[in-house]
Amino acid sequence: MAFGAVSTLAIQSNGTLFYQNSVGTGQSKPIGIGAVNNPGGSANHYVFTANMTGNFVQPFLRSANILTQQTAISDSTGPTGLTIDPAGLFAYTGNSGSGTIALIGINNSQCGSQAVCVIKGFPSESPANANAGTQFVATTH
């Protein structure tokens, strides 16, 4: 988080980790992170980070151990937690500065020509509370 970088590590046959490389997010402090393979039947693999300071989600295309930074997408205030649904079609961020949860499409028709986009935000409490401090999200199936 302090250096604004995401690192890739390989899992060795004995369970130990081997550092491979790091990639910077270019702007901010990645907090939440998630990965998905072949979302929506595409040939792409992605890693996403929620970046609290810059109010954005950073997608990376993943090929083996190489991450290629894609265009960041604006998110609500203070995205921290990030999770991906079990089918790999959507990501969700907990937005600590707005008390919301963002629905993010991955290779979704609602994103037009973009591979990733914020579709909609939802209050994390009822009634809506902008001071909720929403930081974590989880999905189940």
Side-chain angles (χ1 to χ4, degrees), residues 49-133:
T49 62
N51 293 269
M52 178 177 67
T53 306
N55 302 323
F56 66 96
V57 171
Q58 180 65 63
F60 298 89
L61 277 176
R62 183 187 61 77
S63 177
N65 65 340
I66 305 298
L67 297 178
T68 304
Q69 189 171 326
Q70 303 298 294
T71 301
I73 56 172
S74 294
D75 199 350
S76 187
T77 308
T80 53
L82 185 140
T83 191
I84 298 172
D85 81 287
L89 301 174
F90 302 99
Y92 302 88
T93 57
N95 299 306
S96 62
S98 62
T100 61
I101 297 170
L103 168 64
I104 298 167
I106 305 170
N107 292 333
N108 189 290
S109 62
Q110 294 181 66
C111 295
S113 62
Q114 297 176 319
V116 180
C117 70
V118 174
I119 295 172
K120 186 176 180 179
F122 299 89
S124 63
E125 295 183 1
S126 181
N129 177 3
N131 296 315

Side-chain angles (χ1 to χ4, degrees), residues 1-2 21 46 71 77 107 121 136 140:
M1 184 175 106
N21 67 6
Y46 291 98
T71 301
T77 308
N107 292 333
F136 304 102
T140 61

